[in-house]
Amino acid sequence: MKGAVLYGPRDVRFEERETPRILKPTDAILRIAATCVCGSDLWPYRGINKVEKPTPMGHEYCGIVEEVGSAVRSVKPGQFVIGSFFASDNTCPNCHHGYHSSCQQAEFIGTAQASLLRVPLADGTLVATPSLPDDDLVPSLLALSDVMGTGWFAADAAGVKPGSTVAVVGDGAVGLLAMLSAKLMGAERIIAMSRHPARQALAREFGATDIIAERGDAGVAAIQELTRGVGVDSMLECVGTQEAMQQAIRSTRRGGGLGYVGVPHGVALDGQQLFYAHVHLHGGPAPVRRYLPELIEAVWDRKINPGKVFDLTLPLDQVAEGYRAMDERRTIKALLRP
Ligand SMILES: [Zn+2]
């Protein structure tokens, strides 16, 4: 079997890898229908996270169950399934509270840019679609594996409600889908922080009502002006840098919610600033598994089309070009088909 392997900065190769097989009775093997390159794959690709040894890549996936272990009950061969980037048992206390990405048995799934994938804890991790999907639904179903669920968590964690005023920092796939999520949750005003025309257009399509191109102090001032000096009810931080987090805290109203899903890189918060900000902070790796049933239904009923964030589709053997295009910001998100 062939798949993507990262050797070092900007060196991703499509090459022979060990064919996955059932290792535990709770495993399943999937034949991948589609996978993709994530913004977070760019941290090691750019050398910001060190790559110690050749590393298989990919954590977003959907596909057909090929084989299941002897203990698997809820999915069977032939079904089309979607799962999160963290395998979860769906039975432990953390799962019961809805935090599947902190499952006591959580296992990161990081080898999905390939034609076959082993998924541990298949019963708790995978959710099947009602039947085999039409091909045009596959990108949107794939988006549920991470980016849509992550955008949804940002909006959920920030407490978006009908009538809310919301702002989103970050115009990558997660930020754009956070806007779509806020719209679905009934937000009345959605402010997108973006300086890229193509992304601004998709932001508007997903429900953004205002666009702010400024960043830092100027970005904060622009939001304060739009909200008459109050700040937004809900702030969705989808970047993970110090600048983005500061901008988010300073733009949220007193008593408002800040959902942060950008993986923090070099973010340090000041206790006194937080103390006086009066902001509800909630974030982390999104418990995507919690949201899969309702989001699958929304895609299945064609109420949402989160797959629109994929503006480049490549055969899996051109995975290196997918990384390049995202690194150079020529594309929002690259979909790969084996
Ligand atoms: Zn669990």
Side-chain angles (χ1 to χ4, degrees):
M1 177 202 75
K2 284 188 152 182
V5 180
L6 183 65
Y7 275 76
R10 295 184 169 82
D11 180 8
V12 69
R13 304 178 199 173
F14 184 68
E15 62 176 31
E16 202 60 37
R17 285 183 5 199
E18 195 182 343
T19 301
R21 55 192 174 83
I22 302 281
L23 299 178
K24 292 184 185 167
T26 46
D27 289 349
I29 303 294
L30 308 189
R31 182 158 295 279
I32 296 294
T35 179
C36 49
V37 183
C38 183
S40 65
D41 292 333
L42 297 181
W43 294 107
Y45 181 78
R46 289 171 171 160
I48 296 165
N49 293 356
K50 201 137 184 63
V51 183
E52 305 288 351
K53 57 178 192 318
T55 308
M57 296 293 289
H59 59 266
E60 296 161 274
Y61 60 93
C62 60
I64 308 262
V65 179
E66 182 112 327
E67 191 188 348
V68 296
S70 58
V72 174
R73 296 286 171 267
S74 68
V75 292
K76 52 179 189 287
Q79 282 184 318
F80 189 96
V81 293
I82 302 140
S84 156
F85 45 93
F86 273 114
S88 54
D89 56 18
N90 204 23
T91 55
C92 78
N94 292 344
C95 285
H96 268 302
H97 286 108
Y99 288 83
H100 297 73
S101 40
S102 279
C103 175
Q104 290 176 345
Q105 298 197 67
E107 252 185 80
F108 185 68
I109 297 179
T111 60
Q113 288 161 5
S115 49
L116 293 167
L117 174 69
R118 181 180 78 93
V119 177
L121 303 168
D123 276 339
T125 304
L126 298 171
V127 179
T129 53
S131 58
L132 291 182
D134 291 336
D135 201 55
D136 69 318
L137 281 184
V138 169
S140 285
L141 293 169
L142 173 65
L144 306 186
S145 177
D146 179 356
V147 277
M148 179 65 197
T150 297
W152 189 267
F153 177 54
D156 193 12
V160 175
K161 290 191 283 288
S164 292
T165 294
V166 175
V168 179
V169 180
D171 62 0
V174 170
L176 291 164
L177 292 173
M179 296 168 203
L180 176 64
S181 300
K183 174 81 180 165
L184 285 165
M185 292 178 190
E188 191 176 293
R189 188 166 201 188
I190 300 171
I191 304 163
M193 318 287 292
S194 171
R195 45 177 62 175
H196 298 84
R199 296 175 187 223
Q200 291 172 356
L202 194 50
R204 292 232 183 246
E205 202 179 324
F206 282 156
T209 52
D210 302 84
I211 307 270
I212 291 177
E214 291 86 359
R215 289 185 190 178
D217 289 342
V220 174
I223 288 193
Q224 292 297 348
E225 197 184 316
L226 281 178
T227 57
R228 300 176 187 196
V230 174
V232 295
D233 301 316
S234 296
M235 170 56 85
L236 284 43
E237 194 283 311
C238 308
V239 180
T241 61
Q242 180 74 358
E243 184 189 41
M245 197 66 176
Q246 285 301 327
Q247 193 174 309
I249 293 170
R250 293 169 61 204
S251 304
T252 309
R253 71 160 167 82
R254 297 297 184 270
L258 196 172
Y260 62 106
V261 296
V263 181
H265 281 76
V267 175
L269 301 181
D270 177 76
Q272 287 236 342
Q273 182 201 14
L274 272 186
F275 185 76
Y276 288 107
H278 265 148
V279 169
H280 298 267
L281 279 181
H282 187 190
V288 167
R289 171 65 183 82
R290 189 203 320 174
Y291 306 125
L292 278 177
E294 68 180 302
L295 292 179
I296 288 173
E297 192 179 326
V299 167
W300 202 258
D301 295 344
R302 297 182 182 272
K303 286 185 188 144
I304 56 171
N305 194 355
K308 283 198 169 166
V309 294
F310 296 109
D311 54 354
L312 175 66
T313 298
L314 294 169
L316 181 61
D317 61 8
Q318 290 177 35
V319 58
E321 169 56 18
Y323 277 80
R324 264 195 305 277
M326 282 183 63
D327 180 35
E328 293 164 9
R329 283 180 76 91
R330 282 186 275 123
T331 188
I332 298 171
K333 196 165 173 70
L335 185 138
L336 304 164
R337 300 202 75 152

